[in-house]
Amino acid sequence: QVQLVESGGGLAQPGKSLTLSCTISGGNPRISDMAWFRQYPGKERECVATIILSSLSKYYPPSVKGRFTISADTAKNTTYLQMNSLEPEDTAMYFCAAGFIRSGQSVVDPRSYQYWGQGTQVTVSS
């Protein structure tokens, strides 16, 4: 059984940094991409970073570009999300996702990912 285990969330002051990590364990899943999404209460999940594992090509939406960095250690089956210059608007539940993205699927669409972590809360407040 494939599991994604996240860690690293918590409370941070505006302008500070947090790093999230996500480790895949169990099974032998076919995974081409990993991503981080966040979700505000009552809202749909939105993508904040994606990475293609074969090329390490990355994508960020304008809301976090320049502040967030996604990386992957394929030997450890782990992906990281470095979040700098945090803003109160970054307060949300953050989810790690992994999956095999097929032709025609979008890397920013949560429906493209087969595996999900349980989520970790990030709160940015002074």
Side-chain angles (χ1 to χ4, degrees), residues 68-121:
F68 289 12
T69 301
I70 188 171
S71 61
D73 185 336
T74 54
K76 295 182 179 180
N77 292 328
T78 298
T79 185
Y80 305 93
L81 183 68
Q82 173 73 37
M83 304 183 292
N84 298 327
S85 302
L86 284 163
E87 303 170 352
E89 294 73 21
D90 296 318
T91 296
M93 185 71 79
Y94 284 72
F95 295 89
C96 174
F100 182 77
I101 307 297
R102 292 175 170 80
S103 177
Q105 290 183 310
S106 170
V107 296
V108 301
D109 187 342
R111 295 170 297 180
S112 299
Y113 296 87
Q114 295 84 49
Y115 308 105
W116 289 87
Q118 78 284 0
T120 185
Q121 178 69 35

mmCIF file of all heavy atoms in Angstrom, residues 68-121:
data_model
loop_
_atom_site.group_PDB
_atom_site.id
_atom_site.type_symbol
_atom_site.label_atom_id
_atom_site.label_comp_id
_atom_site.label_asym_id
_atom_site.label_seq_id
_atom_site.Cartn_x
_atom_site.Cartn_y
_atom_site.Cartn_z
ATOM 1 N N PHE A 68 8.629 30.052 -3.265
ATOM 2 C CA PHE A 68 8.590 28.614 -2.987
ATOM 3 C C PHE A 68 9.525 27.866 -3.936
ATOM 4 O O PHE A 68 9.650 28.237 -5.102
ATOM 5 C CB PHE A 68 7.183 28.054 -3.161
ATOM 6 C CG PHE A 68 6.188 28.462 -2.106
ATOM 7 C CD1 PHE A 68 6.458 29.477 -1.196
ATOM 8 C CD2 PHE A 68 4.965 27.818 -2.020
ATOM 9 C CE1 PHE A 68 5.544 29.856 -0.228
ATOM 10 C CE2 PHE A 68 4.028 28.187 -1.057
ATOM 11 C CZ PHE A 68 4.321 29.203 -0.160
ATOM 12 N N THR A 69 10.149 26.808 -3.423
ATOM 13 C CA THR A 69 11.012 25.972 -4.244
ATOM 14 C C THR A 69 10.712 24.508 -3.968
ATOM 15 O O THR A 69 10.759 24.080 -2.809
ATOM 16 C CB THR A 69 12.491 26.241 -3.952
ATOM 17 O OG1 THR A 69 12.786 27.616 -4.203
ATOM 18 C CG2 THR A 69 13.376 25.375 -4.839
ATOM 19 N N ILE A 70 10.414 23.772 -5.025
ATOM 20 C CA ILE A 70 10.200 22.335 -4.897
ATOM 21 C C ILE A 70 11.467 21.614 -5.328
ATOM 22 O O ILE A 70 12.168 22.044 -6.251
ATOM 23 C CB ILE A 70 8.986 21.866 -5.739
ATOM 24 C CG1 ILE A 70 8.650 20.402 -5.433
ATOM 25 C CG2 ILE A 70 9.220 22.087 -7.233
ATOM 26 C CD1 ILE A 70 7.344 19.942 -6.051
ATOM 27 N N SER A 71 11.777 20.540 -4.632
ATOM 28 C CA SER A 71 12.922 19.712 -5.000
ATOM 29 C C SER A 71 12.587 18.261 -4.699
ATOM 30 O O SER A 71 11.622 17.977 -3.997
ATOM 31 C CB SER A 71 14.183 20.155 -4.244
ATOM 32 O OG SER A 71 13.995 20.029 -2.854
ATOM 33 N N ALA A 72 13.413 17.378 -5.233
ATOM 34 C CA ALA A 72 13.167 15.954 -5.033
ATOM 35 C C ALA A 72 14.472 15.211 -4.854
ATOM 36 O O ALA A 72 15.466 15.515 -5.528
ATOM 37 C CB ALA A 72 12.377 15.377 -6.208
ATOM 38 N N ASP A 73 14.464 14.272 -3.950
ATOM 39 C CA ASP A 73 15.578 13.345 -3.760
ATOM 40 C C ASP A 73 15.030 11.968 -4.128
ATOM 41 O O ASP A 73 14.378 11.309 -3.310
ATOM 42 C CB ASP A 73 16.066 13.378 -2.314
ATOM 43 C CG ASP A 73 17.297 12.515 -2.085
ATOM 44 O OD1 ASP A 73 17.505 11.557 -2.864
ATOM 45 O OD2 ASP A 73 18.029 12.779 -1.129
ATOM 46 N N THR A 74 15.264 11.568 -5.369
ATOM 47 C CA THR A 74 14.654 10.325 -5.847
ATOM 48 C C THR A 74 15.205 9.108 -5.122
ATOM 49 O O THR A 74 14.518 8.105 -4.971
ATOM 50 C CB THR A 74 14.865 10.172 -7.359
ATOM 51 O OG1 THR A 74 16.261 10.272 -7.656
ATOM 52 C CG2 THR A 74 14.114 11.259 -8.122
ATOM 53 N N ALA A 75 16.431 9.182 -4.644
ATOM 54 C CA ALA A 75 17.008 8.053 -3.897
ATOM 55 C C ALA A 75 16.272 7.823 -2.582
ATOM 56 O O ALA A 75 16.206 6.696 -2.089
ATOM 57 C CB ALA A 75 18.485 8.296 -3.642
ATOM 58 N N LYS A 76 15.718 8.893 -2.040
ATOM 59 C CA LYS A 76 14.996 8.802 -0.775
ATOM 60 C C LYS A 76 13.486 8.809 -0.971
ATOM 61 O O LYS A 76 12.736 8.832 0.003
ATOM 62 C CB LYS A 76 15.397 9.965 0.138
ATOM 63 C CG LYS A 76 16.850 9.939 0.580
ATOM 64 C CD LYS A 76 17.158 11.110 1.516
ATOM 65 C CE LYS A 76 18.604 11.066 1.988
ATOM 66 N NZ LYS A 76 18.915 12.205 2.898
ATOM 67 N N ASN A 77 13.052 8.845 -2.247
ATOM 68 C CA ASN A 77 11.607 8.920 -2.548
ATOM 69 C C ASN A 77 10.947 10.065 -1.796
ATOM 70 O O ASN A 77 9.836 9.934 -1.271
ATOM 71 C CB ASN A 77 10.905 7.597 -2.190
ATOM 72 C CG ASN A 77 11.313 6.462 -3.096
ATOM 73 O OD1 ASN A 77 11.609 6.667 -4.270
ATOM 74 N ND2 ASN A 77 11.363 5.264 -2.545
ATOM 75 N N THR A 78 11.636 11.187 -1.764
ATOM 76 C CA THR A 78 11.174 12.325 -0.968
ATOM 77 C C THR A 78 11.168 13.589 -1.808
ATOM 78 O O THR A 78 12.074 13.820 -2.620
ATOM 79 C CB THR A 78 12.086 12.519 0.248
ATOM 80 O OG1 THR A 78 12.026 11.347 1.077
ATOM 81 C CG2 THR A 78 11.644 13.714 1.070
ATOM 82 N N THR A 79 10.157 14.393 -1.599
ATOM 83 C CA THR A 79 10.103 15.705 -2.207
ATOM 84 C C THR A 79 9.995 16.748 -1.102
ATOM 85 O O THR A 79 9.490 16.457 -0.007
ATOM 86 C CB THR A 79 8.935 15.834 -3.188
ATOM 87 O OG1 THR A 79 9.010 17.106 -3.852
ATOM 88 C CG2 THR A 79 7.603 15.781 -2.478
ATOM 89 N N TYR A 80 10.502 17.928 -1.394
ATOM 90 C CA TYR A 80 10.536 18.997 -0.414
ATOM 91 C C TYR A 80 9.873 20.244 -0.999
ATOM 92 O O TYR A 80 9.882 20.456 -2.214
ATOM 93 C CB TYR A 80 11.976 19.337 -0.037
ATOM 94 C CG TYR A 80 12.776 18.158 0.457
ATOM 95 C CD1 TYR A 80 13.551 17.410 -0.421
ATOM 96 C CD2 TYR A 80 12.765 17.802 1.800
ATOM 97 C CE1 TYR A 80 14.285 16.324 0.023
ATOM 98 C CE2 TYR A 80 13.497 16.719 2.255
ATOM 99 C CZ TYR A 80 14.258 15.977 1.363
ATOM 100 O OH TYR A 80 14.977 14.909 1.808
ATOM 101 N N LEU A 81 9.332 21.054 -0.108
ATOM 102 C CA LEU A 81 8.831 22.362 -0.504
ATOM 103 C C LEU A 81 9.416 23.390 0.455
ATOM 104 O O LEU A 81 9.032 23.448 1.622
ATOM 105 C CB LEU A 81 7.303 22.414 -0.467
ATOM 106 C CG LEU A 81 6.697 23.746 -0.952
ATOM 107 C CD1 LEU A 81 6.954 23.910 -2.458
ATOM 108 C CD2 LEU A 81 5.205 23.822 -0.663
ATOM 109 N N GLN A 82 10.365 24.168 -0.060
ATOM 110 C CA GLN A 82 10.969 25.244 0.714
ATOM 111 C C GLN A 82 10.121 26.480 0.500
ATOM 112 O O GLN A 82 9.957 26.939 -0.644
ATOM 113 C CB GLN A 82 12.409 25.488 0.252
ATOM 114 C CG GLN A 82 13.066 26.703 0.876
ATOM 115 C CD GLN A 82 13.426 26.496 2.336
ATOM 116 O OE1 GLN A 82 13.829 25.409 2.724
ATOM 117 N NE2 GLN A 82 13.277 27.517 3.150
ATOM 118 N N MET A 83 9.591 27.021 1.586
ATOM 119 C CA MET A 83 8.720 28.197 1.498
ATOM 120 C C MET A 83 9.393 29.365 2.202
ATOM 121 O O MET A 83 9.590 29.323 3.420
ATOM 122 C CB MET A 83 7.355 27.895 2.130
ATOM 123 C CG MET A 83 6.667 26.679 1.528
ATOM 124 S SD MET A 83 5.020 26.394 2.213
ATOM 125 C CE MET A 83 5.459 25.932 3.893
ATOM 126 N N ASN A 84 9.744 30.369 1.436
ATOM 127 C CA ASN A 84 10.401 31.560 1.970
ATOM 128 C C ASN A 84 9.449 32.753 1.900
ATOM 129 O O ASN A 84 8.444 32.736 1.190
ATOM 130 C CB ASN A 84 11.670 31.864 1.180
ATOM 131 C CG ASN A 84 12.701 30.760 1.267
ATOM 132 O OD1 ASN A 84 12.810 30.077 2.288
ATOM 133 N ND2 ASN A 84 13.478 30.593 0.204
ATOM 134 N N SER A 85 9.810 33.797 2.626
ATOM 135 C CA SER A 85 9.029 35.043 2.620
ATOM 136 C C SER A 85 7.539 34.762 2.797
ATOM 137 O O SER A 85 6.692 35.251 2.039
ATOM 138 C CB SER A 85 9.272 35.812 1.318
ATOM 139 O OG SER A 85 10.639 36.102 1.147
ATOM 140 N N LEU A 86 7.239 33.963 3.792
ATOM 141 C CA LEU A 86 5.851 33.545 3.993
ATOM 142 C C LEU A 86 4.950 34.732 4.279
ATOM 143 O O LEU A 86 5.349 35.711 4.933
ATOM 144 C CB LEU A 86 5.766 32.529 5.125
ATOM 145 C CG LEU A 86 6.234 31.113 4.752
ATOM 146 C CD1 LEU A 86 6.502 30.282 6.004
ATOM 147 C CD2 LEU A 86 5.210 30.431 3.863
ATOM 148 N N GLU A 87 3.731 34.614 3.772
ATOM 149 C CA GLU A 87 2.717 35.646 3.933
ATOM 150 C C GLU A 87 1.510 35.046 4.640
ATOM 151 O O GLU A 87 1.267 33.845 4.546
ATOM 152 C CB GLU A 87 2.306 36.173 2.558
ATOM 153 C CG GLU A 87 3.454 36.716 1.732
ATOM 154 C CD GLU A 87 3.058 36.999 0.299
ATOM 155 O OE1 GLU A 87 1.936 36.630 -0.113
ATOM 156 O OE2 GLU A 87 3.893 37.590 -0.434
ATOM 157 N N PRO A 88 0.729 35.881 5.329
ATOM 158 C CA PRO A 88 -0.483 35.335 5.976
ATOM 159 C C PRO A 88 -1.382 34.589 4.986
ATOM 160 O O PRO A 88 -2.046 33.623 5.386
ATOM 161 C CB PRO A 88 -1.155 36.587 6.526
ATOM 162 C CG PRO A 88 -0.019 37.532 6.795
ATOM 163 C CD PRO A 88 0.958 37.286 5.674
ATOM 164 N N GLU A 89 -1.363 35.006 3.719
ATOM 165 C CA GLU A 89 -2.191 34.350 2.709
ATOM 166 C C GLU A 89 -1.721 32.937 2.385
ATOM 167 O O GLU A 89 -2.422 32.183 1.707
ATOM 168 C CB GLU A 89 -2.210 35.167 1.421
ATOM 169 C CG GLU A 89 -2.901 36.520 1.537
ATOM 170 C CD GLU A 89 -2.103 37.561 2.322
ATOM 171 O OE1 GLU A 89 -0.864 37.403 2.437
ATOM 172 O OE2 GLU A 89 -2.725 38.526 2.816
ATOM 173 N N ASP A 90 -0.538 32.570 2.861
ATOM 174 C CA ASP A 90 -0.042 31.211 2.660
ATOM 175 C C ASP A 90 -0.609 30.243 3.692
ATOM 176 O O ASP A 90 -0.376 29.034 3.601
ATOM 177 C CB ASP A 90 1.486 31.180 2.729
ATOM 178 C CG ASP A 90 2.144 31.970 1.619
ATOM 179 O OD1 ASP A 90 1.672 31.876 0.466
ATOM 180 O OD2 ASP A 90 3.126 32.690 1.898
ATOM 181 N N THR A 91 -1.336 30.760 4.664
ATOM 182 C CA THR A 91 -1.950 29.908 5.668
ATOM 183 C C THR A 91 -2.971 28.990 5.021
ATOM 184 O O THR A 91 -3.929 29.447 4.393
ATOM 185 C CB THR A 91 -2.630 30.761 6.753
ATOM 186 O OG1 THR A 91 -1.642 31.532 7.440
ATOM 187 C CG2 THR A 91 -3.381 29.884 7.750
ATOM 188 N N ALA A 92 -2.745 27.686 5.137
ATOM 189 C CA ALA A 92 -3.609 26.696 4.498
ATOM 190 C C ALA A 92 -3.157 25.311 4.923
ATOM 191 O O ALA A 92 -2.121 25.151 5.570
ATOM 192 C CB ALA A 92 -3.533 26.809 2.971
ATOM 193 N N MET A 93 -3.931 24.316 4.522
ATOM 194 C CA MET A 93 -3.497 22.935 4.655
ATOM 195 C C MET A 93 -2.744 22.577 3.377
ATOM 196 O O MET A 93 -3.249 22.808 2.270
ATOM 197 C CB MET A 93 -4.698 22.011 4.838
ATOM 198 C CG MET A 93 -4.343 20.555 5.098
ATOM 199 S SD MET A 93 -3.635 20.306 6.737
ATOM 200 C CE MET A 93 -5.124 20.325 7.716
ATOM 201 N N TYR A 94 -1.548 22.024 3.550
ATOM 202 C CA TYR A 94 -0.716 21.675 2.409
ATOM 203 C C TYR A 94 -0.687 20.163 2.235
ATOM 204 O O TYR A 94 -0.512 19.422 3.209
ATOM 205 C CB TYR A 94 0.698 22.216 2.601
ATOM 206 C CG TYR A 94 0.778 23.706 2.354
ATOM 207 C CD1 TYR A 94 0.225 24.610 3.256
ATOM 208 C CD2 TYR A 94 1.390 24.217 1.217
ATOM 209 C CE1 TYR A 94 0.265 25.973 3.018
ATOM 210 C CE2 TYR A 94 1.448 25.581 0.977
ATOM 211 C CZ TYR A 94 0.870 26.451 1.884
ATOM 212 O OH TYR A 94 0.918 27.807 1.643
ATOM 213 N N PHE A 95 -0.843 19.740 0.983
ATOM 214 C CA PHE A 95 -0.881 18.324 0.644
ATOM 215 C C PHE A 95 0.203 17.980 -0.372
ATOM 216 O O PHE A 95 0.401 18.712 -1.345
ATOM 217 C CB PHE A 95 -2.239 17.945 0.049
ATOM 218 C CG PHE A 95 -3.399 18.075 0.992
ATOM 219 C CD1 PHE A 95 -4.085 19.275 1.096
ATOM 220 C CD2 PHE A 95 -3.808 17.005 1.769
ATOM 221 C CE1 PHE A 95 -5.154 19.415 1.950
ATOM 222 C CE2 PHE A 95 -4.886 17.128 2.636
ATOM 223 C CZ PHE A 95 -5.559 18.337 2.730
ATOM 224 N N CYS A 96 0.829 16.857 -0.164
ATOM 225 C CA CYS A 96 1.750 16.298 -1.131
ATOM 226 C C CYS A 96 0.986 15.342 -2.044
ATOM 227 O O CYS A 96 0.089 14.630 -1.575
ATOM 228 C CB CYS A 96 2.853 15.543 -0.374
ATOM 229 S SG CYS A 96 3.995 14.629 -1.398
ATOM 230 N N ALA A 97 1.345 15.326 -3.317
ATOM 231 C CA ALA A 97 0.696 14.441 -4.277
ATOM 232 C C ALA A 97 1.742 13.794 -5.167
ATOM 233 O O ALA A 97 2.785 14.382 -5.445
ATOM 234 C CB ALA A 97 -0.301 15.218 -5.124
ATOM 235 N N ALA A 98 1.438 12.587 -5.612
ATOM 236 C CA ALA A 98 2.320 11.867 -6.521
ATOM 237 C C ALA A 98 1.471 11.078 -7.505
ATOM 238 O O ALA A 98 0.364 10.649 -7.180
ATOM 239 C CB ALA A 98 3.243 10.934 -5.748
ATOM 240 N N GLY A 99 2.009 10.907 -8.703
ATOM 241 C CA GLY A 99 1.250 10.137 -9.668
ATOM 242 C C GLY A 99 1.952 9.982 -10.982
ATOM 243 O O GLY A 99 3.037 10.547 -11.206
ATOM 244 N N PHE A 100 1.350 9.183 -11.843
ATOM 245 C CA PHE A 100 1.825 9.034 -13.214
ATOM 246 C C PHE A 100 0.925 9.887 -14.090
ATOM 247 O O PHE A 100 -0.272 9.621 -14.207
ATOM 248 C CB PHE A 100 1.771 7.577 -13.658
ATOM 249 C CG PHE A 100 2.303 7.370 -15.040
ATOM 250 C CD1 PHE A 100 3.670 7.360 -15.265
ATOM 251 C CD2 PHE A 100 1.446 7.218 -16.129
ATOM 252 C CE1 PHE A 100 4.174 7.192 -16.545
ATOM 253 C CE2 PHE A 100 1.940 7.054 -17.399
ATOM 254 C CZ PHE A 100 3.310 7.037 -17.613
ATOM 255 N N ILE A 101 1.521 10.950 -14.640
ATOM 256 C CA ILE A 101 0.757 11.911 -15.414
ATOM 257 C C ILE A 101 0.733 11.477 -16.872
ATOM 258 O O ILE A 101 1.781 11.365 -17.511
ATOM 259 C CB ILE A 101 1.357 13.323 -15.300
ATOM 260 C CG1 ILE A 101 1.518 13.707 -13.818
ATOM 261 C CG2 ILE A 101 0.483 14.326 -16.041
ATOM 262 C CD1 ILE A 101 0.236 13.782 -13.043
ATOM 263 N N ARG A 102 -0.451 11.223 -17.379
ATOM 264 C CA ARG A 102 -0.605 10.762 -18.766
ATOM 265 C C ARG A 102 -0.708 11.937 -19.730
ATOM 266 O O ARG A 102 -1.001 13.061 -19.333
ATOM 267 C CB ARG A 102 -1.830 9.873 -18.879
ATOM 268 C CG ARG A 102 -1.688 8.538 -18.154
ATOM 269 C CD ARG A 102 -2.958 7.718 -18.164
ATOM 270 N NE ARG A 102 -2.733 6.356 -17.674
ATOM 271 C CZ ARG A 102 -2.645 6.027 -16.408
ATOM 272 N NH1 ARG A 102 -2.779 6.950 -15.495
ATOM 273 N NH2 ARG A 102 -2.428 4.776 -16.063
ATOM 274 N N SER A 103 -0.449 11.650 -20.962
ATOM 275 C CA SER A 103 -0.563 12.667 -21.996
ATOM 276 C C SER A 103 -1.956 13.279 -21.965
ATOM 277 O O SER A 103 -2.957 12.558 -21.894
ATOM 278 C CB SER A 103 -0.298 12.051 -23.364
ATOM 279 O OG SER A 103 -0.479 13.003 -24.382
ATOM 280 N N GLY A 104 -2.008 14.589 -21.978
ATOM 281 C CA GLY A 104 -3.288 15.281 -21.950
ATOM 282 C C GLY A 104 -3.734 15.688 -20.562
ATOM 283 O O GLY A 104 -4.645 16.503 -20.420
ATOM 284 N N GLN A 105 -3.092 15.114 -19.553
ATOM 285 C CA GLN A 105 -3.428 15.496 -18.195
ATOM 286 C C GLN A 105 -2.611 16.715 -17.780
ATOM 287 O O GLN A 105 -1.486 16.907 -18.242
ATOM 288 C CB GLN A 105 -3.166 14.347 -17.227
ATOM 289 C CG GLN A 105 -4.140 13.182 -17.388
ATOM 290 C CD GLN A 105 -3.888 12.107 -16.348
ATOM 291 O OE1 GLN A 105 -2.758 11.659 -16.158
ATOM 292 N NE2 GLN A 105 -4.941 11.685 -15.673
ATOM 293 N N SER A 106 -3.182 17.478 -16.875
ATOM 294 C CA SER A 106 -2.515 18.691 -16.417
ATOM 295 C C SER A 106 -1.823 18.439 -15.095
ATOM 296 O O SER A 106 -2.404 17.855 -14.176
ATOM 297 C CB SER A 106 -3.527 19.821 -16.255
ATOM 298 O OG SER A 106 -2.938 20.921 -15.592
ATOM 299 N N VAL A 107 -0.590 18.911 -14.969
ATOM 300 C CA VAL A 107 0.153 18.723 -13.719
ATOM 301 C C VAL A 107 -0.397 19.589 -12.589
ATOM 302 O O VAL A 107 -0.070 19.341 -11.432
ATOM 303 C CB VAL A 107 1.660 19.017 -13.911
ATOM 304 C CG1 VAL A 107 2.271 18.032 -14.883
ATOM 305 C CG2 VAL A 107 1.882 20.449 -14.333
ATOM 306 N N VAL A 108 -1.235 20.560 -12.904
ATOM 307 C CA VAL A 108 -1.779 21.407 -11.845
ATOM 308 C C VAL A 108 -3.186 20.979 -11.444
ATOM 309 O O VAL A 108 -3.780 21.567 -10.548
ATOM 310 C CB VAL A 108 -1.779 22.896 -12.248
ATOM 311 C CG1 VAL A 108 -0.365 23.359 -12.559
ATOM 312 C CG2 VAL A 108 -2.735 23.162 -13.405
ATOM 313 N N ASP A 109 -3.696 19.951 -12.102
ATOM 314 C CA ASP A 109 -5.032 19.444 -11.785
ATOM 315 C C ASP A 109 -4.905 18.342 -10.737
ATOM 316 O O ASP A 109 -4.261 17.321 -11.003
ATOM 317 C CB ASP A 109 -5.690 18.911 -13.053
ATOM 318 C CG ASP A 109 -7.143 18.527 -12.842
ATOM 319 O OD1 ASP A 109 -7.559 18.337 -11.679
ATOM 320 O OD2 ASP A 109 -7.871 18.415 -13.841
ATOM 321 N N PRO A 110 -5.512 18.508 -9.567
ATOM 322 C CA PRO A 110 -5.376 17.470 -8.541
ATOM 323 C C PRO A 110 -5.900 16.111 -9.005
ATOM 324 O O PRO A 110 -5.454 15.079 -8.500
ATOM 325 C CB PRO A 110 -6.180 18.020 -7.362
ATOM 326 C CG PRO A 110 -7.051 19.083 -7.923
ATOM 327 C CD PRO A 110 -6.325 19.644 -9.093
ATOM 328 N N ARG A 111 -6.799 16.092 -9.978
ATOM 329 C CA ARG A 111 -7.338 14.810 -10.448
ATOM 330 C C ARG A 111 -6.306 13.984 -11.214
ATOM 331 O O ARG A 111 -6.527 12.794 -11.463
ATOM 332 C CB ARG A 111 -8.565 15.070 -11.340
ATOM 333 C CG ARG A 111 -9.743 15.687 -10.616
ATOM 334 C CD ARG A 111 -10.817 16.127 -11.574
ATOM 335 N NE ARG A 111 -10.356 17.170 -12.484
ATOM 336 C CZ ARG A 111 -11.115 17.724 -13.413
ATOM 337 N NH1 ARG A 111 -12.355 17.330 -13.576
ATOM 338 N NH2 ARG A 111 -10.615 18.672 -14.193
ATOM 339 N N SER A 112 -5.181 14.598 -11.559
ATOM 340 C CA SER A 112 -4.127 13.876 -12.280
ATOM 341 C C SER A 112 -3.277 13.005 -11.371
ATOM 342 O O SER A 112 -2.500 12.191 -11.854
ATOM 343 C CB SER A 112 -3.222 14.874 -13.021
ATOM 344 O OG SER A 112 -3.962 15.629 -13.972
ATOM 345 N N TYR A 113 -3.399 13.164 -10.072
ATOM 346 C CA TYR A 113 -2.528 12.475 -9.120
ATOM 347 C C TYR A 113 -3.276 11.345 -8.419
ATOM 348 O O TYR A 113 -4.412 11.512 -7.986
ATOM 349 C CB TYR A 113 -1.970 13.467 -8.098
ATOM 350 C CG TYR A 113 -1.075 14.505 -8.747
ATOM 351 C CD1 TYR A 113 -1.613 15.672 -9.288
ATOM 352 C CD2 TYR A 113 0.300 14.298 -8.852
ATOM 353 C CE1 TYR A 113 -0.810 16.598 -9.925
ATOM 354 C CE2 TYR A 113 1.113 15.231 -9.476
ATOM 355 C CZ TYR A 113 0.545 16.376 -10.007
ATOM 356 O OH TYR A 113 1.354 17.300 -10.635
ATOM 357 N N GLN A 114 -2.600 10.211 -8.310
ATOM 358 C CA GLN A 114 -3.222 9.021 -7.738
ATOM 359 C C GLN A 114 -2.976 8.876 -6.237
ATOM 360 O O GLN A 114 -3.728 8.189 -5.555
ATOM 361 C CB GLN A 114 -2.706 7.752 -8.435
ATOM 362 C CG GLN A 114 -3.076 7.641 -9.916
ATOM 363 C CD GLN A 114 -2.126 8.395 -10.822
ATOM 364 O OE1 GLN A 114 -0.905 8.251 -10.709
ATOM 365 N NE2 GLN A 114 -2.661 9.211 -11.709
ATOM 366 N N TYR A 115 -1.931 9.491 -5.741
ATOM 367 C CA TYR A 115 -1.547 9.287 -4.349
ATOM 368 C C TYR A 115 -1.451 10.634 -3.633
ATOM 369 O O TYR A 115 -0.906 11.601 -4.186
ATOM 370 C CB TYR A 115 -0.208 8.550 -4.264
ATOM 371 C CG TYR A 115 -0.165 7.283 -5.084
ATOM 372 C CD1 TYR A 115 0.524 7.237 -6.286
ATOM 373 C CD2 TYR A 115 -0.829 6.144 -4.660
ATOM 374 C CE1 TYR A 115 0.552 6.087 -7.053
ATOM 375 C CE2 TYR A 115 -0.808 4.985 -5.416
ATOM 376 C CZ TYR A 115 -0.117 4.963 -6.613
ATOM 377 O OH TYR A 115 -0.094 3.817 -7.360
ATOM 378 N N TRP A 116 -1.924 10.643 -2.387
ATOM 379 C CA TRP A 116 -1.975 11.881 -1.615
ATOM 380 C C TRP A 116 -1.524 11.652 -0.181
ATOM 381 O O TRP A 116 -1.768 10.580 0.400
ATOM 382 C CB TRP A 116 -3.408 12.427 -1.586
ATOM 383 C CG TRP A 116 -3.837 12.977 -2.901
ATOM 384 C CD1 TRP A 116 -4.402 12.283 -3.929
ATOM 385 C CD2 TRP A 116 -3.714 14.330 -3.342
ATOM 386 N NE1 TRP A 116 -4.650 13.135 -4.988
ATOM 387 C CE2 TRP A 116 -4.234 14.391 -4.650
ATOM 388 C CE3 TRP A 116 -3.220 15.492 -2.748
ATOM 389 C CZ2 TRP A 116 -4.266 15.576 -5.387
ATOM 390 C CZ3 TRP A 116 -3.262 16.664 -3.478
ATOM 391 C CH2 TRP A 116 -3.778 16.706 -4.779
ATOM 392 N N GLY A 117 -0.875 12.674 0.371
ATOM 393 C CA GLY A 117 -0.565 12.662 1.784
ATOM 394 C C GLY A 117 -1.773 13.102 2.596
ATOM 395 O O GLY A 117 -2.800 13.504 2.054
ATOM 396 N N GLN A 118 -1.611 13.064 3.896
ATOM 397 C CA GLN A 118 -2.714 13.371 4.797
ATOM 398 C C GLN A 118 -2.881 14.878 5.016
ATOM 399 O O GLN A 118 -3.903 15.320 5.535
ATOM 400 C CB GLN A 118 -2.510 12.676 6.151
ATOM 401 C CG GLN A 118 -1.506 13.349 7.074
ATOM 402 C CD GLN A 118 -0.056 13.112 6.692
ATOM 403 O OE1 GLN A 118 0.258 12.438 5.709
ATOM 404 N NE2 GLN A 118 0.849 13.673 7.480
ATOM 405 N N GLY A 119 -1.883 15.625 4.621
ATOM 406 C CA GLY A 119 -1.946 17.074 4.781
ATOM 407 C C GLY A 119 -1.220 17.549 6.020
ATOM 408 O O GLY A 119 -1.165 16.843 7.039
ATOM 409 N N THR A 120 -0.642 18.727 5.921
ATOM 410 C CA THR A 120 0.034 19.340 7.057
ATOM 411 C C THR A 120 -0.352 20.824 7.081
ATOM 412 O O THR A 120 -0.346 21.499 6.050
ATOM 413 C CB THR A 120 1.558 19.131 6.974
ATOM 414 O OG1 THR A 120 2.168 19.642 8.166
ATOM 415 C CG2 THR A 120 2.178 19.821 5.770
ATOM 416 N N GLN A 121 -0.693 21.319 8.252
ATOM 417 C CA GLN A 121 -1.159 22.690 8.390
ATOM 418 C C GLN A 121 0.015 23.658 8.441
ATOM 419 O O GLN A 121 0.983 23.432 9.173
ATOM 420 C CB GLN A 121 -2.015 22.854 9.649
ATOM 421 C CG GLN A 121 -2.500 24.258 9.915
ATOM 422 C CD GLN A 121 -3.528 24.735 8.898
ATOM 423 O OE1 GLN A 121 -4.354 23.955 8.413
ATOM 424 N NE2 GLN A 121 -3.478 26.018 8.557
#
